[in-house]
């Protein structure tokens, strides 16, 4: 299982407070019967932001909740965390499903959007500050949600993922665990990748989510080329071109790729980094605009 790469459970401040990771059973349209878990900190900010955090194949909401320091940041900053969980396809998200790849049609994607709408209605969250992040299959689904529901998500951060509709573009209905064509670094022209996103919501003319793509250069499971292809896709969709590399950001082994002025699209590639979550929470939350 991919989640075995995550090192241990992280102790968070949540353990000392009344807040807990709770399951919500009835939250709206849920065509694939995925599960909703939510973490609402005790000191919830007025009109709080929401981060949707998506687990990898073989993972679960609880494991991903324990796998990063995001809950402690939620305690400090008052935002809501939603942890969707899928029991389907060996706990992999349906990134190859035409329903998830089409706005409003169904699939896991629509279930996740229902969770967001539930949290907005139930907790008075800010509809303009909804973000999504995930690792591996969760990173793939991050790109799917950003492409199919640009009206819902302000920004996304995909770790070790693939471009939106990559598995559909590989002309296979097989889940990630069976079909490796996409994960091995399927290459397409930037405009073709961009068309996959535009065709997921025909006629949409609103703003698109800001995107951050992170990948390890030693990843042999989801090849680094997948990260480069995702950047090609979002570069085309967002209309920003590559401008420069910045070495040593956020730490020695990483190189930042900046597109345009860096406010819409960024990439991070880690020398010697394999198939690992590589979540730098402070960097992520600055990208989302939730901390300085």
């Amino acid at each position: 299982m991919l989640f075995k790469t995550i090192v241990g459970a992280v102790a968070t401040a949540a353990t000392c407070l009344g807040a807990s990771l709770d399951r919500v059973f009835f939250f709206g349209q849920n065509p694939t019967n995925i599960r909703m878990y939510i973490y609402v900190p005790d000191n919830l900010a007025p009109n709080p932001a929401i981060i949707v955090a998506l687990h990898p194949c073989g993972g679960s909401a609880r494991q991903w909740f324990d796998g990063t320091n995001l809950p402690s940041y939620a305690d400090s900053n008052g935002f809501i965390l939603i942890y969707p969980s899928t029991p389907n396809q060996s706990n992999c998200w349906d990134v190859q499903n035409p329903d998830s790849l089409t706005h409003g049609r169904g699939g896991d994607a629509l279930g996740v959007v229902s969770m967001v709408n539930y949290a907005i209605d139930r907790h008075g969250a800010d509809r303009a500050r909804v973000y999504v992040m995930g690792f591996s299959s969760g990173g793939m689904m991050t790109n799917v949600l950003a492409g199919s529901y640009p009206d819902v998500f302000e920004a996304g951060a995909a770790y070790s993922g693939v471009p939106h509709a990559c598995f559909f573009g590989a002309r296979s209905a097989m889940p990630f665990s069976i079909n490796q064509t996409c994960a091995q670094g399927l290459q397409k022209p930037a405009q073709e990748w961009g068309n996959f996103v535009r065709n997921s919501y025909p006629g949409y003319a609103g703003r698109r989510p800001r995107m951050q793509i992170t990948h390890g250069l030693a990843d042999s499971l989801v090849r680094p080329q997948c990260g480069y292809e995702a950047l090609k896709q979002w570069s085309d969709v967002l209309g920003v071109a590559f401008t420069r590399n910045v070495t040593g950001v956020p730490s020695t082994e990483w190189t930042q790729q900046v597109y345009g002025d860096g406010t819409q699209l960024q990439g991070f590639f880690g020398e010697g980094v394999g198939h690992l979550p590589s979540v730098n929470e402070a960097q992520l939350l600055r990208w989302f605009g939730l901390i300085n």
Side-chain angles (χ1 to χ4, degrees), residues 157-218:
Y159 299 83
S160 303
V162 301
H164 174 91
C166 181
F167 282 95
F168 183 81
R171 301 184 183 277
S172 172
M174 294 296 184
F176 164 68
S177 58
I178 298 173
N179 170 36
Q180 290 294 305
T181 305
C182 173
Q184 291 303 302
L186 179 67
Q187 297 185 47
K188 291 182 179 292
Q191 186 174 14
E192 187 173 346
W193 280 130
N195 286 341
F196 280 131
V197 171
R198 288 181 284 269
N199 291 340
S200 288
Y201 193 174
Y204 178 75
R207 59 133 196 94
R208 297 281 179 175
R210 300 178 287 107
M211 295 300 295
Q212 188 179 87
I213 305 297
T214 301
H215 221 104
L217 290 174

Side-chain angles (χ1 to χ4, degrees), residues 24 36 38 40 44-48 80 118-126:
V24 177
M36 177 181 181
I38 192 168
V40 181
L44 187 64
N47 303 311
I80 294 170
Y118 170 90
I120 291 170
D121 293 341
R122 176 71 177 81
H123 299 287
D126 187 349

Side-chain angles (χ1 to χ4, degrees), residues 6-244:
I6 296 178
V7 182
V10 178
T12 70
T15 306
C16 304
L17 300 173
S20 60
L21 183 66
D22 297 321
R23 184 170 178 184
V24 177
F25 287 90
F26 304 106
F27 53 86
Q29 289 181 277
N30 184 21
T32 53
N33 295 314
I34 59 176
R35 298 165 184 165
M36 177 181 181
Y37 293 82
I38 192 168
Y39 182 76
V40 181
D42 291 325
N43 296 317
L44 187 64
N47 303 311
I50 296 172
I51 298 178
V52 175
L54 295 157
H55 67 69
C57 279
S60 68
R62 169 57 64 177
Q63 287 171 310
W64 197 224
F65 176 82
D66 290 336
T68 77
N69 281 317
L70 286 177
S72 64
Y73 278 95
D75 291 331
S76 301
N77 295 276
F79 57 78
I80 294 170
L81 291 166
I82 295 175
Y83 288 88
S85 188
T86 175
N88 308 317
Q89 296 183 156
S90 300
N91 304 87
C92 298
W93 300 103
D94 69 346
V95 296
Q96 82 292 339
N97 185 352
D99 288 348
S100 276
L101 294 167
T102 306
H103 183 87
R105 181 162 152 179
D108 292 349
L110 184 59
V112 172
V113 170
S114 294
M115 297 177 195
V116 169
N117 288 330
Y118 170 90
I120 291 170
D121 293 341
R122 176 71 177 81
H123 299 287
D126 187 349
R127 190 174 294 276
R129 293 192 299 151
V130 179
Y131 310 95
V132 59
M133 62 83 71
F135 163 61
S136 196
S137 180
M140 300 173 192
M141 194 62 181
T142 294
N143 283 319
V144 167
L145 286 165
S148 295
Y149 292 90
D151 54 335
V152 173
F153 297 97
E154 167 63 24
Y159 299 83
S160 303
V162 301
H164 174 91
C166 181
F167 282 95
F168 183 81
R171 301 184 183 277
S172 172
M174 294 296 184
F176 164 68
S177 58
I178 298 173
N179 170 36
Q180 290 294 305
T181 305
C182 173
Q184 291 303 302
L186 179 67
Q187 297 185 47
K188 291 182 179 292
Q191 186 174 14
E192 187 173 346
W193 280 130
N195 286 341
F196 280 131
V197 171
R198 288 181 284 269
N199 291 340
S200 288
Y201 193 174
Y204 178 75
R207 59 133 196 94
R208 297 281 179 175
R210 300 178 287 107
M211 295 300 295
Q212 188 179 87
I213 305 297
T214 301
H215 221 104
L217 290 174
D219 192 336
S220 60
L221 187 61
V222 181
R223 300 284 184 179
Q225 188 63 39
C226 297
Y228 294 118
E229 296 299 306
L231 286 168
K232 284 165 57 178
Q233 180 175 64
W234 292 112
S235 174
D236 180 74
V237 171
L238 295 167
V240 289
F242 171 77
T243 54
R244 66 189 185 278

